[in-house]
Amino acid sequence: MFRINPSAAYSFYKQFILDYSQDKSAIYEQYGFTLQGSVGSKDWEVFAAILMGDRASPGDGADLENFEVKSALIGNSFEYQYHRNRGLEKLQNERAVDHLFVVRSSTYKDVEVWLVERSELIATFDRWLPELQENYRAASRQRFRRSVTYRFVVSQGTKLMEIRNGALIEPV
């Protein structure tokens, strides 16, 4: 079992996600852009690594040594994408780790982190495997995409951390 560190993760979030995105917001608005998508997946992976005391995983498998990290807007689904050359290997790697789901508001002021243990996702991955194999029978197909719903994450997961209006809520 990992010992989570919400205060360290929050410090990273505050400096490199919230403050950074808020600093950009006036410029984005001036030119007609929204903040949506202005924080990259690597930022959420680092945030999750700090929270869980984990490290980046080498190669194309799971994001961290012990976790796959997904992020999406609150209420939206989390996309899993598998590329032709490494898709099968990636799917197998993701079966072997737990999954962290970072859900956030469009302003990045509200964030929740949910842990779904790998055992809860095995049936999903088992269902995707023959679909992935079938997908790549067509030479023109380069990617295979599937998703996990927010509702599934909330019903099967454990909330590890919550930030509301930019403030860390006491750990659940």
Side-chain angles (χ1 to χ4, degrees):
M1 183 74 174
F2 285 84
R3 182 173 175 185
I4 68 170
N5 191 342
S7 59
Y10 177 75
S11 292
F12 175 85
Y13 155 82
K14 178 91 170 74
Q15 181 178 359
F16 295 104
I17 295 175
L18 182 63
D19 291 348
Y20 180 68
S21 65
Q22 298 309 296
D23 289 346
K24 293 188 294 187
S25 105
I27 296 168
Y28 274 48
E29 287 175 21
Q30 178 182 351
Y31 291 95
F33 291 92
T34 65
L35 282 176
Q36 174 61 27
S38 67
V39 174
S41 61
K42 288 285 187 232
D43 292 316
W44 296 116
E45 291 166 13
V46 172
F47 170 75
I50 293 168
L51 175 65
M52 302 308 290
D54 206 2
R55 299 185 51 78
S57 178
D60 295 328
D63 297 317
L64 305 178
E65 290 177 353
N66 298 286
F67 301 95
E68 174 65 13
V69 180
K70 297 293 180 188
S71 64
L73 283 172
I74 294 171
N76 285 7
S77 294
F78 300 88
E79 183 180 79
Y80 284 74
Q81 185 175 170
Y82 302 94
H83 296 274
R84 171 180 281 285
N85 295 335
R86 294 267 205 236
L88 184 57
E89 179 183 343
K90 182 166 175 46
L91 180 64
Q92 295 303 330
N93 287 337
E94 289 175 352
R95 290 173 56 94
V97 298
D98 294 327
H99 293 240
L100 295 170
F101 295 92
V102 179
V103 295
R104 59 178 173 72
S105 64
S106 61
T107 62
Y108 304 103
K109 290 183 179 181
D110 299 315
V111 177
E112 298 172 354
V113 180
W114 292 83
L115 169 68
V116 176
E117 293 182 9
R118 67 194 87 175
S119 60
E120 299 297 331
L121 288 159
I122 293 297
T124 300
F125 293 139
D126 286 348
R127 193 172 56 252
W128 292 354
L129 179 60
E131 296 172 5
L132 179 142
Q133 292 167 325
E134 180 63 29
N135 183 74
Y136 292 137
R137 282 190 173 72
S140 62
R141 300 235 172 121
Q142 295 300 311
R143 291 187 180 89
F144 176 77
R145 292 183 173 107
R146 290 294 180 267
S147 61
V148 170
T149 66
Y150 175 76
R151 190 169 65 185
F152 175 86
V153 169
V154 171
S155 69
Q156 301 302 311
T158 302
K159 189 188 298 183
L160 299 180
M161 183 177 181
E162 183 173 2
I163 298 168
R164 286 288 165 243
N165 201 24
L168 178 62
I169 305 299
E170 285 304 312
V172 179

